[in-house]
Amino acid sequence: MSSSTTTLDRVLEHARQTALLGSISSLLGWDERTMMPLAEGDYRVEQMTLLSGLMHDRVTDPEYGNWLEELAAGDLMQDPHSDAATNIRELKRSRDRRVKLPKTLVEALTRASVRGQQAWEKARRENDFALFQPALATLLNLKRQEAEALGYEETPYDALLDDYEPGERTANVQRVLLGLREQLVPLVEAIAASRRRPKLELLARGYPVAAQESFGKRAAERIGFDFSRGRLDVTTHPFCSGMGPHDCRMTTRYDGHFFPTAFFGTLHEAGHGIYEQGQPPEEFGLPIGEAISLGIHESQSRMWENQVGRGEAFWRYFFPLAEEAFPDALVDVTREEFHFAINDVRPSLIRVEADEATYNLHILVRFELEQLLLADELPLDDLPAAWNQKYEQYLGITPPTNAQGVLQDVHWSFGALGYFPTYSLGNLYAAQFYEQAETDIGPLDEQFAAGEFAPLRQWLNRKIHAVGKRYTASELVEQITGQPLSHEPLVRYLRDKLSPLYEL
């Protein structure tokens, strides 16, 4: 056995052991947001802080760093997309970032993020931003320290964005979002001028929560989420978390008088879960068994939620099942009326329930505000008003409460600045991947109408899920589609879907 092979074995074993600690932290985080008694909050802070410190010590271990330096200069890097080269490159990249952060800062960020989520839960529940403001102030101060420690060329936001979307830059995201806005605003205006309107009241009838849960799980399972390796629970803000090679947990929230909230939230999180379950379990904790970026991850959730779940063909199969599950609510509703209602386009308050045409405007609001917050150019006292002003500017509506406004998302409560742009990138990736899938294995509509979702899931598994971090997100897009990332597939998809509905 060569010395490089022996060193690689040491590195991989070290990384797998660190991943074990990470999986324990993920499990504690899931429990905190779903099952944990409120009185346990302070002790959970200490548990998760201890784990974050232990993981930091392992990643920044000088001997581990020496092993990675040796391997990065060796023959195993000749094929940059091989298993060995991918693991070495990405583990080294992660360590190079981590060693810039003092352990005290890492622990402080963990402590603040756990406390921040607890404060946010209470503030949202009581519609009182003041209950969250001190925790947010602490987190922002720590995130500024993190950005300075990591370093950046243009703006501190780049340092944080890179954690979620490696290699991406703030200026490019700004260009993409504004470009999308220019393309989509005329479409939204044309829809607003249309005389056709869906019957939205049919979505706000009585949909018993127990029936919603059963129906949502049935749909998630049908598209490919494996409940023998995962579960669905209830939380304030839906999420999906992989805590082990065979343990993927997703959450949703229910509204007994609004069908889309839980159902499309479940499809969205199931898309994340299918990605997690599609990665090779034997490589859990290693870069070749991890997602490329959050934008690519979001492409999977948004695709199953929107291109698939809001598509007419999907409901050719599922609407008869929905009629059985909700006989009172759907007794006088046609499939065409239902499909039109779930594709309603109009400015709305809640991001996770926004229609596809206006969704990216919600992201633009958050993207612009969190840059101001990070630069300390927006006093926290003014944040709720600034949020409302942005909503009036971009969507023409004003949130009536902070719970429906600045407190609606969980992300800032755990310090996830730089996360929101990945949703818009995910929309772009999803549309471009979906077009290619249609070319490679279509016609997809015929398959969906027959309840056949496995061909798309298997295509995604081969092309994306099982690839790990062998490529950057931009490289993967070009490899799969033969083209660089473009806004055109998303705009084309939206026009093709919405023009017939609104007779444009």
Side-chain angles (χ1 to χ4, degrees), residues 360-380:
N360 292 299
L361 300 178
H362 292 258
I363 301 304
L364 191 57
V365 168
R366 292 152 175 80
F367 175 59
E368 293 182 353
L369 287 176
E370 62 185 16
Q371 289 182 74
L372 293 173
L373 290 171
L374 189 65
D376 203 12
E377 296 176 1
L378 174 62
L380 282 184

Side-chain angles (χ1 to χ4, degrees), residues 26-45:
S26 294
L27 184 58
L28 288 173
W30 170 87
D31 177 73
E32 180 197 2
R33 294 166 67 180
T34 56
M35 303 287 184
M36 186 189 78
L38 290 176
E40 177 68 0
D42 288 343
Y43 197 67
R44 183 56 45 90
V45 170

Side-chain angles (χ1 to χ4, degrees), residues 302-376:
R302 296 293 286 174
M303 184 186 298
W304 285 107
E305 176 191 358
N306 293 323
Q307 275 87 350
V308 180
R310 295 183 193 270
E312 188 271 338
F314 180 91
W315 290 102
R316 270 187 268 162
Y317 178 78
F318 271 104
F319 191 70
L321 303 178
E323 289 178 304
E324 294 176 8
F326 312 105
D328 294 335
L330 300 178
V331 63
D332 58 349
V333 178
T334 68
R335 187 185 76 234
E336 291 77 13
E337 289 172 331
F338 185 84
H339 177 247
F340 193 9
I342 62 172
N343 284 288
D344 174 56
V345 172
R346 71 184 66 201
S348 59
L349 294 170
I350 307 301
R351 174 187 62 84
V352 297
E353 296 171 6
D355 64 81
E356 296 174 84
T358 62
Y359 182 91
N360 292 299
L361 300 178
H362 292 258
I363 301 304
L364 191 57
V365 168
R366 292 152 175 80
F367 175 59
E368 293 182 353
L369 287 176
E370 62 185 16
Q371 289 182 74
L372 293 173
L373 290 171
L374 189 65
D376 203 12

Side-chain angles (χ1 to χ4, degrees), residues 265-465:
T266 299
L267 281 189
H268 180 97
E269 302 307 335
H272 282 304
I274 290 168
Y275 192 166
E276 291 290 313
Q277 292 179 340
Q279 294 164 354
E282 67 276 10
E283 307 297 350
F284 182 82
L286 301 179
I288 59 170
E290 295 175 337
I292 294 171
S293 73
L294 274 181
I296 297 296
H297 224 309
E298 284 300 326
S299 77
Q300 304 304 282
S301 58
R302 296 293 286 174
M303 184 186 298
W304 285 107
E305 176 191 358
N306 293 323
Q307 275 87 350
V308 180
R310 295 183 193 270
E312 188 271 338
F314 180 91
W315 290 102
R316 270 187 268 162
Y317 178 78
F318 271 104
F319 191 70
L321 303 178
E323 289 178 304
E324 294 176 8
F326 312 105
D328 294 335
L330 300 178
V331 63
D332 58 349
V333 178
T334 68
R335 187 185 76 234
E336 291 77 13
E337 289 172 331
F338 185 84
H339 177 247
F340 193 9
I342 62 172
N343 284 288
D344 174 56
V345 172
R346 71 184 66 201
S348 59
L349 294 170
I350 307 301
R351 174 187 62 84
V352 297
E353 296 171 6
D355 64 81
E356 296 174 84
T358 62
Y359 182 91
N360 292 299
L361 300 178
H362 292 258
I363 301 304
L364 191 57
V365 168
R366 292 152 175 80
F367 175 59
E368 293 182 353
L369 287 176
E370 62 185 16
Q371 289 182 74
L372 293 173
L373 290 171
L374 189 65
D376 203 12
E377 296 176 1
L378 174 62
L380 282 184
D381 286 342
D382 298 337
L383 177 57
W387 178 286
N388 292 351
Q389 184 179 27
K390 288 286 186 185
Y391 261 74
E392 180 62 38
Q393 176 185 355
Y394 287 126
L395 290 148
I397 54 178
T398 302
T401 69
N402 284 332
Q404 294 173 291
V406 70
L407 289 171
Q408 68 174 271
D409 290 304
V410 70
H411 303 63
W412 290 344
S413 76
F414 60 89
L417 278 80
Y419 191 124
F420 280 116
T422 67
Y423 289 114
S424 287
L425 291 170
N427 289 332
L428 295 170
Y429 294 139
Q432 196 156 331
F433 289 148
Y434 192 81
E435 273 196 356
Q436 189 62 46
E438 179 78 27
T439 298
D440 291 353
I441 59 171
L444 295 175
D445 279 358
E446 292 182 10
Q447 297 168 23
F448 299 161
E452 297 175 0
F453 302 97
L456 175 61
R457 186 183 71 254
Q458 291 164 356
W459 185 88
L460 293 169
N461 181 253
R462 292 193 307 273
K463 299 286 187 176
I464 300 171
H465 307 165

